[in-house]
Amino acid sequence: MDIWTAIKNRRSIRNFTADPLEEKELRNLILKAGIWAPSGGNAQNWRFIVITDQKVLNKLKLVSPGLLGSPQTIIIICQDLVNALEKGGELGVKTLSLMDTAMAAQNIMLAAYAVGLGTCPIASFHPEAVQRIMGLPVHIYPQLLISVGFSKENPPTPRRDPNIIWFNSYEE
Amino acid sequence: MDIWTAIKNRRSIRNFTADPLEEKELRNLILKAGIWAPSGGNAQNWRFIVITDQKVLNKLKLVSPGLLGSPQTIIIICQDLVNALEKGGELGVKTLSLMDTAMAAQNIMLAAYAVGLGTCPIASFHPEAVQRIMGLPVHIYPQLLISVGFSKENPPTPRRDPNIIWFNSYEE
């Protein structure tokens, strides 16, 4: 699929069919798209935990107000914050790690769209509760969930405000 | 260009030719790629300031240790933090705004690669100094710079660690 098509037509999907996804395809989204994002200082502190087990999905829903619909898969994108601190200091933990997560997520969501899957990024969830559910050590910090599944909807395109560009000087 | 090709082959570029870029092309990168990223709660708090003026570029270099080479263009991606707070509270300011910036940046960098341009994301700069140089109000906060230009190098592909995926349970 053409890059411009994927960028323009990807929508956030919140209604999914009950069809399960193939492990190989989920792996490809991460290995052939997610980890090819840049990372601050090439840190690659991301950790991807793919949830397809319905019991775990149900637990995650309970602590994730932003998680709508019933996706067959959730990818939990975590960052190793000890690595992030070692490699990037405070900037690494508070800024780079979040941006690295987001850029990897965007790659995954574009690639998912290209193979016919719907996704939605979810930041409204309780990170410590997700750590508890998954038994994560304290330094493996969940920053973003991505729901993945076959779309059951065709959401409208939210209007984009084009008046957000300035050249060489800024005026309100 | 195919989405997978763009994702896989984009590299961070730090050596640029002296050829200037067309304003229209820079505008397209933002309007046809950047703003088609998702944003938390569809907030669209991003503000893109495109710098092509050599005098301003030189000033930015002085306050941006991460800015290498001599790109002909810098895109300063800012967030309106008052809007971010109003729309998303603390999560909006500290997390969503950074992720929105990063996802828009990734779209821009992929699209730039597809039209033959090199880019590099730069987080190591002094945001308040950039605000001062650009005369930005305090709530228009620079979060990421992207250098853009014609590449003068063919950097090697940094190895990606594939051992960053878990299915349904996490073990160190």
Side-chain angles (χ1 to χ4, degrees), chain B residues 2-166:
Chain B
D2 184 67
I3 173 83
W4 300 94
T5 307
I7 285 175
K8 179 82 179 275
N9 293 342
R10 176 213 56 80
R11 293 276 81 72
S12 290
I13 298 297
R14 298 177 179 87
N15 278 298
F16 299 95
T17 72
D19 303 307
L21 307 184
E22 284 181 29
E23 182 174 318
K24 191 183 165 211
E25 188 147 70
L26 291 163
R27 221 177 256 286
N28 275 346
L29 292 178
I30 296 168
L31 291 179
K32 296 187 175 173
I35 63 175
W36 290 94
S39 61
N42 191 29
Q44 301 185 42
N45 293 321
W46 39 51
R47 306 287 177 264
F48 301 86
I49 311 177
V50 183
I51 310 299
T52 55
D53 181 326
Q54 276 299 339
K55 276 188 209 160
V56 186
L57 290 172
N58 289 339
K59 286 184 194 170
L60 290 176
K61 281 182 81 166
L62 290 176
V63 299
S64 308
L67 172 46
L68 303 175
S70 297
Q72 291 303 304
T73 301
I74 297 284
I75 302 174
I76 309 170
I77 308 186
C78 303
Q79 290 274 331
D80 184 329
L81 292 187
V82 168
N83 281 2
L85 187 65
E86 277 174 6
K87 290 176 183 165
E90 193 184 332
L91 184 73
V93 173
K94 290 195 179 166
T95 302
L96 302 183
S97 74
L98 289 163
M99 289 198 173
D100 294 356
T101 288
M103 289 183 186
Q106 181 65 4
N107 273 6
I108 288 172
M109 293 187 292
L110 292 173
Y113 181 74
V115 296
L117 293 171
T119 58
C120 188
I122 298 144
S124 173
F125 64 94
H126 195 303
E128 287 78 14
V130 171
Q131 285 186 313
R132 210 160 46 235
I133 289 168
M134 299 306 303
L136 301 180
V138 69
H139 65 289
I140 302 295
Y141 202 77
Q143 291 188 334
L144 191 70
L145 310 183
I146 303 178
S147 54
V148 193
F150 293 96
S151 175
K152 220 167 61 177
E153 63 173 345
N154 203 347
T157 303
R159 185 185 161 273
R160 256 60 176 181
D161 180 359
N163 301 312
I164 39 64
I165 307 184
W166 289 259

Side-chain angles (χ1 to χ4, degrees), chain A residues 35 50 52 106-107 160 168, chain B residues 35 50 52 106-107 160 168:
Chain A
I35 64 174
V50 183
T52 54
Q106 182 63 6
N107 273 7
R160 254 61 175 182
N168 291 311
Chain B
I35 63 175
V50 183
T52 55
Q106 181 65 4
N107 273 6
R160 256 60 176 181
N168 291 309

Side-chain angles (χ1 to χ4, degrees), chain A residues 68-83:
Chain A
L68 303 174
S70 297
Q72 291 303 304
T73 301
I74 296 284
I75 301 174
I76 309 170
I77 308 185
C78 303
Q79 290 274 332
D80 184 329
L81 292 188
V82 168
N83 281 4

